[in-house]
Amino acid sequence: MNDRKGRPAGLRERTRRAVQAEIVTTAMRLFLERGFEATTMEQIATEIGISRRSLFRYFGTKEDIVLGDHAAHGEVLRAALEARPANEPPWEALRAALRELLESLPYSAEDFLKITSMLHASPSLRARQLEKRQQWTELLVPDIARRLGAAEDLMTQVRAHALAACALACSEVATETWVRSGGTVDMERAFDEAVAAVRG
């Protein structure tokens, strides 16, 4: 495991990452078993066998535990977009990148449905999720602007922001539809329908 500069991570950093992963795994299990709002940081700390103070050294809030990997997912999405053919139109490239992100998630369809349902049911999680999605938009804009042909032009930046934001909004609508259907609706078809409505 390497650090951000490609160097092998030290023992302390590897230990920290291992503890963070254990916290997330344990907390997600408790959230799914008991509900997000009903689970406390104290219960999470007790389940893991660490003090509440130690838990707060890793995560300040329950929302941070659930959405802490959202930033990493944003980087996966950006990398997937940048790996698409340079001449691929923005909408097609965004669709393919979002599909790659979804396929990269380490959850079964059943667990992903439970986690997504939990996200949609909690107002505090929804608020934080929207904040993270804004960060994703910023990550996607440079590549979209290049695909539009004039990355430094102000109006191109406007169009790139609009495209990235709309694609993520369509993804959110498709995911919400999938959750409401209990996982029976085809998420990609719902995304395509949302995009068609925006582009029509």
Side-chain angles (χ1 to χ4, degrees):
M1 191 174 290
N2 297 333
D3 66 14
R4 291 180 179 179
K5 294 184 179 179
R7 300 171 301 202
L11 178 60
R12 180 178 296 180
E13 180 60 22
R14 292 199 302 272
T15 301
R16 180 177 178 81
R17 291 177 184 175
V19 173
Q20 284 179 323
E22 183 180 359
I23 291 170
V24 170
T25 299
T26 301
M28 292 301 293
R29 175 173 57 78
L30 293 176
F31 293 151
L32 293 176
E33 289 175 356
R34 306 176 183 180
F36 178 77
E37 304 297 344
T39 303
T40 67
M41 293 289 273
E42 185 74 37
Q43 290 170 336
I44 295 168
T46 299
E47 189 78 9
I48 297 168
I50 61 176
S51 69
R52 195 167 183 268
R53 178 177 293 181
S54 294
L55 177 59
F56 277 111
R57 291 196 191 106
Y58 293 92
F59 296 99
T61 67
K62 293 189 296 182
E63 289 79 8
D64 289 336
I65 296 175
V66 176
L67 297 175
D69 58 356
H70 233 56
H73 292 164
E75 293 295 342
V76 170
L77 183 59
R78 174 169 66 176
L81 179 63
E82 292 176 351
R84 300 301 303 170
N87 61 347
E88 190 171 43
W91 280 112
E92 284 75 5
L94 285 163
R95 184 186 192 280
L98 285 163
R99 184 195 308 116
E100 186 169 332
L101 171 62
L102 184 62
E103 292 173 350
S104 75
L105 298 178
Y107 308 118
S108 66
E110 181 181 358
D111 284 345
F112 184 56
L113 180 60
K114 291 178 181 177
I115 292 167
T116 308
S117 299
M118 180 180 69
L119 287 172
H120 288 214
S122 168
S124 62
L125 283 175
R126 288 299 296 273
R128 288 294 300 277
Q129 191 177 27
L130 289 174
E131 178 185 323
K132 297 288 187 180
R133 287 297 171 91
Q134 178 60 37
Q135 295 172 6
W136 285 16
T137 299
E138 299 298 329
L139 290 174
L140 300 177
V141 165
D143 184 82
I144 297 302
R146 283 193 295 271
R147 292 176 188 276
L148 294 175
E152 301 304 318
D153 178 72
L154 182 59
M155 289 301 104
T156 300
Q157 290 289 318
V158 170
R159 292 165 59 208
H161 268 89
L163 280 166
C166 281
L168 292 175
C170 289
S171 176
E172 183 67 20
V173 168
T175 304
E176 287 184 7
T177 302
W178 180 71
V179 168
R180 287 199 305 270
S181 75
T184 60
V185 165
D186 185 290
M187 200 185 302
E188 285 195 44
R189 180 183 175 188
F191 175 79
D192 290 339
E193 290 287 341
V195 170
V198 171
R199 299 182 69 181

